[in-house]
Amino acid sequence: MNPFFPAVSEPIRYGGLDSTDPLSFRWYDPDREVLGRTMKEHLRFAVCYWHSFAWDGSDIFGAGTLDRPWTTAGDPMEGARQKMAVAFEFFEKLGVPFYCFHDVDIAPAGSDFKQSTRNLNEMVDLAAEHMERTGVGLLWGTANLFADPRYAAGAATNPDPEIFARAAAQVCQCLDATNRLAGENYVLWGGREGYDTLLNTDLKAEGAQLGRFLHMVVEHKHAIGFEGQILLEPKPFEPTKHQYDFDVATVHAFLERYDLMGEVAVNIEVNHATLAGHDFAHEVAAAFDAGIFGSIDANAGDDRLGWDVDRFPVSVEQMTLGMYEILRGGGFTSGGLNFDAKLRRQSIARDDLFHAHIGGMDTMARALLAAADLIADRTLSDYVEGRYQGWDHGLGKRILDGEETLRSLHDRAATVDDPSPTSGRQEYLENVVARVIERAS
Ligand code: XLS
Ligand code: NI
Ligand code: NI
């Protein structure tokens, strides 16, 4: 097959800040060591199949704008093979270690379950060959349980057990496929797991169904010996008004309630954090705090648009604060940075996909360098440590150890001076971050 991206004949290379070649990395230098790991090992970049190769640029107002010939190929399996060849050409030329897919991104759904199974198995065989040839690995697989009309009222949380059963069959198959391709994780984003109105919804029943569904996923993972992590991807709304996996804290409570802690972690998407009214860094910190940090969908929202716009990440500051929390938490184990991001609809030149990913990778690499410098600088950590040191000894320690009561503190208050507050130093600390970002290189 002729190359789909003839304008990019060589793999993208690190060119440094002085490089004038727009098809080179200015910050991402895969072999460069940062805090004892190479950039490649820290960042674990993945390209997503759905936005980059399955989506044709259509939106609710209009048809596709992007040049994706396989979406209109006569035979869907022929189209899927062509799409896969182009995807691997892209992964290889970009130089990413991983990719991610939904079952239906790589294999067209058939007219019935049996046909879909045959299609998926055939495409998984082909993916295995491409992966072997290129050395590109699978960061995660996932089943699309939201596009088909049968899932309009949910998959695991559907009122109809037959639809639950069909979703379970699909996940079984997709988890097997992910296992076969040695995926590092398996993701469940609760696409339609939520509701629009209580007038037709039994909240309690749907929660219990989702709990059971996830246990079935975990049981199957162990039955087949899948070694990756099972990850839930929180999102507050869209497509439903009330998505059950609202944010990291909600997922944490759900995992505790249904006894899934230790078995399921989270895949945090930056834009979903924004939609939930949180900072990206908050979601990362909350996940490490709960012991459920898994992986990241690296993308960006828009300050004035309240939906999942899935832009490529551009804000070094936002990403630095997120990467700082990731490094503080110990970095990725099986997770990585998946670009769940898409081109703008007008970006119709073939090489736009390269520029988008190069920009995203450079933003994240720069954020990694700045976050590592923030750790080395210690101003933030020393400040926070000092701020809480009262809890290590004396009064603070006695409170935490249960040696004080409301009554004892009441009696004590009458014998000591009223405490006076100290500064939270926010602006000073923001200046420290700005200075470190400015200098990081
Ligand atoms: C949608 C989600 C989706 C998941 C994978 O908003 O981000 O793309 O990452 O199903
Ligand atoms: Ni996502
Ligand atoms: Ni999303």
Side-chain angles (χ1 to χ4, degrees):
M1 205 181 88
N2 289 331
F4 187 72
F5 302 102
V8 183
S9 49
E10 295 277 304
I12 307 294
R13 304 228 176 272
Y14 171 69
L17 284 180
D18 295 331
S19 168
T20 51
D21 178 3
L23 288 169
S24 68
F25 297 118
R26 292 158 58 79
W27 297 88
Y28 179 57
D29 184 1
D31 299 323
R32 176 170 169 188
E33 286 232 357
V34 180
L35 299 179
R37 282 190 193 180
T38 64
M39 277 196 163
K40 185 177 169 187
E41 290 162 348
H42 269 292
L43 298 166
R44 296 172 58 81
F45 285 126
V47 168
C48 88
Y49 221 91
W50 50 103
H51 288 317
S52 293
F53 307 104
W55 178 62
D56 65 359
S58 55
D59 70 5
I60 48 171
F61 299 102
T65 52
L66 304 177
D67 175 21
R68 301 286 181 264
W70 46 89
T71 53
T72 50
D75 170 27
M77 282 301 282
E78 191 40 49
R81 284 188 283 269
Q82 197 187 338
K83 176 167 43 166
M84 190 169 275
V86 170
F88 277 88
E89 180 193 338
F90 183 76
F91 306 152
E92 230 188 335
K93 287 183 170 173
L94 185 63
V96 281
F98 298 108
Y99 74 110
C100 300
F101 66 72
H102 296 91
D103 46 2
V104 299
D105 299 330
I106 61 167
S111 52
D112 58 14
F113 186 70
K114 269 198 244 153
Q115 182 66 51
S116 299
T117 306
R118 273 197 298 275
N119 290 355
L120 186 67
N121 287 340
E122 191 181 323
M123 291 311 297
V124 167
D125 287 343
L126 190 59
E129 282 171 31
H130 280 294
M131 289 167 71
E132 173 82 37
R133 176 178 59 78
T134 59
V136 175
L138 179 62
L139 187 65
W140 47 265
T142 185
N144 181 322
L145 302 177
F146 44 91
D148 192 284
R150 78 170 65 89
Y151 297 127
T157 63
N158 199 290
D160 181 352
E162 285 292 345
I163 296 194
F164 177 112
R166 179 61 166 72
Q170 199 180 326
V171 169
C172 178
Q173 185 161 287
C174 192
L175 189 47
D176 288 348
T178 303
N179 188 34
R180 226 200 104 197
L181 297 174
E184 308 254 332
N185 307 273
Y186 182 84
V187 166
L188 295 119
W189 166 56
R192 307 266 173 196
E193 314 296 20
Y195 70 94
D196 291 320
T197 174
L198 283 175
L199 299 180
N200 63 14
T201 302
D202 183 341
L203 205 64
K204 200 176 172 59
E206 295 201 356
Q209 287 168 219
L210 190 53
R212 180 60 199 133
F213 194 88
L214 283 174
H215 272 284
M216 290 168 79
V217 173
V218 168
E219 286 156 15
H220 187 68
K221 163 193 159 154
H222 292 302
I224 62 175
F226 176 62
E227 285 175 6
Q229 280 198 95
I230 303 292
L231 305 176
L232 273 184
E233 182 174 324
K235 185 173 184 179
F237 46 79
E238 196 197 11
T240 74
K241 186 174 169 189
H242 302 274
Q243 294 282 124
Y244 290 130
D245 304 328
F246 191 93
D247 60 0
V248 169
T250 310
V251 168
H252 179 216
F254 177 84
L255 298 180
E256 290 281 2
R257 180 174 180 183
Y258 289 99
D259 197 19
L260 288 155
M261 286 295 286
E263 292 288 3
V264 179
V266 285
N267 180 43
I268 297 169
E269 179 163 316
V270 181
N271 196 176
H272 297 177
T274 310
L275 292 174
H278 295 306
D279 288 340
F280 168 47
H282 165 85
E283 288 292 80
V284 175
F288 274 111
D289 175 47
I292 55 171
F293 179 79
S295 196
I296 299 290
D297 274 4
N299 63 8
D302 184 288
D303 288 345
R304 278 163 295 122
L305 299 178
W307 67 87
D308 204 7
V309 291
D310 289 333
R311 291 164 59 221
F312 280 83
V314 287
S315 165
V316 174
E317 190 200 352
Q318 180 188 39
M319 292 304 171
T320 297
L321 296 175
M323 284 306 302
Y324 178 64
E325 295 304 327
I326 293 173
L327 292 181
R328 272 175 11 102
F332 290 116
T333 51
S334 67
L337 293 169
N338 167 45
F339 288 109
D340 191 352
K342 61 186 183 212
L343 291 168
R344 297 308 86 187
R345 216 169 155 258
Q346 297 176 55
S347 303
I348 59 174
R350 287 189 182 177
D351 63 356
D352 284 328
L353 201 55
F354 281 93
H355 293 294
H357 283 86
I358 289 170
M361 290 163 79
D362 270 343
T363 298
M364 299 312 303
R366 205 178 159 193
L368 168 68
L369 291 173
D373 284 357
L374 276 176
I375 288 194
D377 174 272
R378 293 205 58 87
T379 310
L380 299 186
S381 50
D382 285 351
Y383 175 77
V384 174
E385 206 182 302
R387 198 175 187 210
Y388 291 86
Q389 51 141 350
W391 295 94
D392 293 346
H393 58 276
L395 175 66
K397 185 160 189 310
R398 287 202 308 280
I399 293 174
L400 291 181
D401 289 349
E403 291 165 15
E404 298 281 356
T405 62
L406 277 190
R407 177 61 66 195
S408 72
L409 294 177
H410 168 270
D411 295 349
R412 180 180 176 276
T415 68
V416 296
D417 292 339
D418 272 342
S420 42
T422 54
S423 173
R425 308 285 261 164
Q426 181 168 336
E427 296 78 5
Y428 160 71
L429 296 168
E430 283 167 351
N431 295 351
V432 169
V433 172
R435 195 191 66 225
V436 168
I437 290 177
E438 210 172 86
R439 292 200 187 149
S441 61

